[in-house]
Every structure is written in C-alpha cells, then in structure tokens.
C-alpha cells in the first residue's frame, strides 16, 4: 500500500503543486499537515520577496536610500541566490534589471493579465541575436553580510528576485520534505524531484510547448531540478503597439529575441535549472546546445521545432505522459 | 454377555473396513481411466488506486487529492508534473 498527496494552490503569481509520498520518519507530520505547512511557507516567501508588494522586504530594500540596509535571513538568501545566478551565467541572468523591466512595461504584476500573442510578437520582432551581459551592470556591487544581517548595494540599484525566486523556493521546500519517501515540488514550472522512492521509480515530468501549450513529451526524473524559461507567459503589448517580454538582454535593456521561444534545463537544483534555462534562451541555439548538453535539456525554436539536447534526446518520451513502469525487485 | 459385545464390535468393524475397501477400489479405478490433466496456476495481482479529493474549492484555498495504491509501488493516479514557462 502506498499513498501520495497531490496538493496545489496559487502563490507568487503561479500555480504551486506538491506531490508528497509517505513519511519515512515517525516524528514527521502526515503529508497533508506537511503540505499545509509548506503552503504557508510559500505564501510568506512570495509576500516578502515580491517587488510588487509595497510592504515586502524586497520593496523595503529597493526603496531604502541608504547604501547598507538591514535584511532578514530570507531576503539575504534570495539576494545571494540572485547573485549566484548572475555569477553562474557570467552576468547574463542579471538581478538588477528592475528599472529596465519597468521601462519596458513590467512595473506591476501580470498575474491576472492575458498574455499577448507570441506568434504575432515573433512576426513583429527584430532580427534575432544573442543577448549579452552588460559590463556596466551593478550586480557585482551588491554584497550580503550575514554576520551583520545586511545587504549593501549602491543606492538606487534595485534587485529583482523574480528570475530566481521560484527556483529558490522550490529548493527550500524540497529540503523541508526530506522526511518523505518521494516528492515533487512544482513552483510555477520550476520543479524539484526528491526522495529515495523517486530514485527507485522516477517521476515522468512533462514538458509543455510554449507555442501550443501541449505536452512535448516527458522525461524520467529521479532527483534534482528541472525548469523552463519561455516567452509565452509574461509577454505584453507596449503602448506604441510593439511587443515586449520579461527576458531582457542585459546589454540593451530590451527584450531578447534570440531565435528561441523556450528552453528547458535539468540540473542538480531548481535554482540551477532555472538559471541554465534562462541562459540557454538568452544566448540562442548555438550556445544553448553547449550549455544544456552536460545535464540535459531541450530548446524550442521560433518556428516551433523542438530540439532535445544531451540525455533528454535519449530519454524523451513523446507518448502521452504517464508514470514510469514499476521497478521489479528480486 | 461380554463375548457377544466383542463379537458385535468386531463384526461392525469388519463391515466398515469392507465398505472402505470397496470405495477405495472404485476411486482407483476412476483415476486410472481419467485423462491426464495439466495443472495451471493462474495468479492475478490486482492493483487498486483510490483517488480521493479531501478538500478544496474555497477561493484561494488549496486543492487536495489523496491517492492510494495497493500495489505497493508508486501511485500513478495523479497527473504527471509538468515544467512550463512561469
């Protein structure tokens, strides 16, 4: 007899889903109680790290005129995650592009907004080219001091945890679910799979096509992170009639049109997978293949063509996604 | 008197053993004429998955589903998780 809890709710402008197996440790709460606990954690995570909430810790940091600001542990961790992603990507996943996002029209939450047509946006988009880091970006001037409990940055430099927040949140929840036989933490598509049960019988994780919304196929994931970046959800029309989306080229401060509309990455954590998928999408197909090859991934070209890379090329099942066949022992 | 009782008991036992011997002989005879049967053991493993919605539907509240599988393996009742643009 085995049981699994399937628990979903809305938070951080996305749907959050938890799949939790049986508890391995007697002292651990039942899965439903654990899910309720994690829901509270995720809701608080979103409230405190949203740049759209005036009362959030992140807004307090962004609007504080002092160069050094007291910051609680969760905010410091989120800032560290953003800096980690920037370093990992050589500055391509830049957490200090808040003003550029606002200039392009992303000054408020798009949670309830209907996305513009990606196909129309692609037809109107400029010549495709790879994005590049901004050598004058200030993210390297941001520092975190855990001993003093502060974050230092040049006044006026605003920080956005939106690019890495969901991955970080998924990783944090996964750590808290270590006492269960198997689990999936899905923070708006940034997914962590864990538990010894998942190693014995991997989850089949489906990958959604950014143009059609249908499943491309599924791959077995026994542990670690998987994330997708794409242009299809946070895309809007500007007042001048042009299109914009939230993945900016740091070198120009404008939306990146690289020839890719989606990228999926596998990695050791959701934070790393999120970072790799963004890098792949921002750099275009040639570099995406290089970046995704070691741990596996998938890119979707402007014309909708799907290109699996690395282990995904070998393991992608294009059948209707179902659970993997049972493992037979003995 | 005692001799009569013993005689009756011995006679009863003799009748019983005779009937038993006749039945045994009949059974052997039937078995000898019956065709040889192959014995096939069919094992059926039933798997039961129960998907029970515990609660949900309140605005902003969680949607909760509990899946139970009797197979001992992982539960396959839930939809596969999907990675997507967030």
């Amino acid at each position: 007899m085995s049981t699994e809890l399937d628990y979903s709710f809305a938070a951080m402008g996305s749907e959050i889903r938890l799949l939790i197996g049986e508890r391995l440790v007697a002292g651990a709460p039942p899965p439903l109680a654990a899910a309720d606990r994690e829901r509270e954690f995720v809701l608080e995570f979103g409230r405190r790290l949203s740049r759209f909430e005036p009362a959030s810790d992140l807004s307090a940091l962004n609007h504080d005129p002092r160069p050094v600001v007291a910051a609680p542990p969760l905010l410091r961790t989120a800032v560290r995650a953003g800096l980690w992603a920037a370093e990992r990507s050589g500055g391509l996943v830049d957490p200090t592009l808040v003003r550029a996002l606002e200039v392009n029209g992303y000054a408020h939450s798009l949670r309830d907004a209907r996305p513009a047509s990606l196909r129309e946006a692609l037809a109107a988009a400029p010549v495709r080219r790879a994005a590049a880091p901004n050598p004058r970006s200030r993210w390297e001037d941001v520092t975190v001091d855990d001993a003093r409990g502060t974050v230092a940055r040049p006044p006026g430099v605003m920080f956005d945890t939106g690019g890495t927040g969901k991955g970080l949140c998924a990783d944090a929840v996964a750590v808290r679910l270590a006492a269960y036989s198997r689990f999936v933490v899905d923070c708006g598509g940034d997914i962590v799979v864990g538990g010894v049960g998942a190693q014995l019988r991997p989850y089949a994780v489906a990958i959604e096509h950014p143009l059609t919304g249908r499943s491309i196929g599924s791959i077995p994931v026994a542990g670690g992170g998987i994330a997708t970046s794409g242009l299809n959800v946070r895309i809007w029309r500007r007042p001048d009639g042009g299109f914009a989306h939230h993945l900016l080229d740091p070198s120009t401060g404008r939306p990146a049109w690289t020839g890719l509309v989606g990228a999926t990455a596998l990695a050791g954590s959701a934070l790393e997978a999120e970072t790799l998928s963004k890098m792949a999408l921002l750099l275009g197909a040639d570099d995406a293949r290089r970046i995704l090859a070691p741990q596996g991934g998938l890119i979707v070209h402007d014309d909708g063509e799907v290109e699996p890379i690395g282990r995904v090329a070998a393991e992608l099942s294009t059948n209707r996604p179902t659970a993997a066949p049972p493992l037979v022992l003995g | 008197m005692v001799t009569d009782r013993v005689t009756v008991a011995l006679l009863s036992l003799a009748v019983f053993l005779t009937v038993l011997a006749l039945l045994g002989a009949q059974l052997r005879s039937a078995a000898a004429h019956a065709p040889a049967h192959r014995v096939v053991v069919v094992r059926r493993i039933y798997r039961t998955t129960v998907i029970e919605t515990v609660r949900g539907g309140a605005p902003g509240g969680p949607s909760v589903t509990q899946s139970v599988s009797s197979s001992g393996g992982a539960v396959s009742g839930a939809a596969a998780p999907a990675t997507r643009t967030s």
Side-chain angles (χ1 to χ4, degrees):
Chain A
M1 185 77 71
S2 64
T3 64
E4 186 165 86
L5 184 80
D6 186 348
Y7 187 104
S8 55
F9 57 96
M12 298 192 292
S14 300
E15 184 188 348
I16 314 297
R17 187 177 177 208
L18 307 173
L19 300 177
I20 305 176
E22 294 158 308
R23 51 184 165 172
L24 298 176
V25 181
L32 183 57
D36 285 337
R37 180 192 67 190
E38 297 315 314
R39 175 172 176 261
E40 290 305 313
F41 174 79
V42 173
L43 289 171
E44 186 181 359
F45 189 103
R47 275 195 300 269
R48 292 173 61 183
L49 297 178
S50 169
R51 71 180 169 95
F52 304 120
E53 294 282 344
S56 73
D57 295 347
L58 181 62
S59 293
L61 171 68
N62 282 343
H63 297 103
D64 196 309
R66 295 170 295 178
V68 179
V69 180
L74 182 63
L75 178 59
R76 295 201 305 273
T77 302
V79 171
R80 276 195 191 285
L83 296 176
W84 181 90
E87 285 181 13
R88 178 75 172 81
S89 64
L92 206 58
V93 180
D94 189 333
T96 61
L97 294 176
V98 175
R99 291 205 187 282
L101 284 167
E102 291 176 349
V103 166
N104 281 283
Y106 194 9
H108 50 83
S109 173
L110 299 174
R111 181 177 49 205
D112 300 321
R114 189 178 170 198
S117 164
L118 177 54
R119 290 183 193 278
E120 288 180 28
L122 289 171
V127 175
R128 310 310 193 243
R129 61 170 219 154
N134 178 4
R136 295 184 305 280
S137 180
R138 308 299 300 273
W139 67 265
E140 287 179 292
D141 298 328
V142 181
T143 57
V144 178
D145 187 334
D146 285 324
R148 295 176 188 273
T150 59
V151 172
R153 81 279 178 266
V157 171
M158 294 204 286
F159 207 89
D160 180 27
T161 58
T164 51
K166 292 189 185 73
L168 176 66
C169 185
D171 289 333
V173 173
V175 169
R176 294 154 59 95
L177 292 178
Y180 298 85
S181 60
R182 48 194 275 119
F183 59 83
V184 173
V185 182
D186 174 356
C187 284
D190 287 5
I191 291 175
V192 181
V193 171
V196 290
Q199 291 173 19
L200 295 171
R201 191 170 187 278
Y203 282 94
V205 177
I207 302 172
E208 187 181 284
H209 197 295
L211 283 172
T212 66
R214 295 184 187 137
S215 173
I216 292 169
S218 59
I219 55 169
V221 179
I226 178 169
T228 296
S229 291
L231 309 186
N232 54 309
V233 171
R234 301 189 198 277
I235 184 168
W236 60 92
R237 268 190 182 276
R238 292 196 302 244
D240 64 3
F243 291 89
H245 61 78
H246 73 305
L247 295 176
L248 303 186
D249 178 346
S251 67
T252 64
R254 301 180 66 80
W257 303 98
T258 65
L260 299 180
V261 292
T264 297
L266 289 152
S269 68
L271 175 61
E272 185 181 13
E274 166 76 23
T275 304
L276 292 177
S277 67
K278 273 198 172 55
M279 283 177 70
L281 193 141
L282 288 169
L283 287 172
D286 289 342
D287 283 317
R289 294 184 190 104
R290 175 179 56 79
I291 289 163
L292 298 179
Q295 298 182 84
L298 177 149
I299 54 177
V300 181
H301 296 259
D302 280 2
D303 61 3
E305 182 197 347
V306 174
E307 184 180 341
I309 295 164
R311 62 164 273 211
V312 175
E315 298 178 1
L316 181 70
S317 163
T318 52
N319 296 328
R320 181 175 169 274
T322 57
L327 179 76
V328 178
L329 298 172
Chain B
M1 290 293 285
V2 174
T3 309
D4 288 348
R5 284 184 187 170
V6 172
T7 305
V8 169
L10 287 174
L11 280 172
S12 299
L13 184 62
V15 170
F16 173 74
L17 290 174
T18 305
V19 170
L20 202 63
L22 283 170
L23 287 172
Q26 272 190 331
L27 199 63
R28 272 201 303 275
S29 172
H33 290 92
H37 287 292
R38 293 182 64 190
V39 177
V40 178
V41 177
V42 178
R43 176 186 289 178
R44 292 179 179 171
I45 301 171
Y46 292 95
R47 177 191 184 120
T48 307
T49 300
V50 179
I51 302 172
E52 178 187 5
T53 299
V54 179
R55 60 186 162 92
S63 168
V64 184
T65 299
Q66 180 88 45
S67 302
V68 181
S69 172
S70 67
S71 66
V75 178
S76 60
T83 180
R84 61 207 178 275
T85 305
S86 59

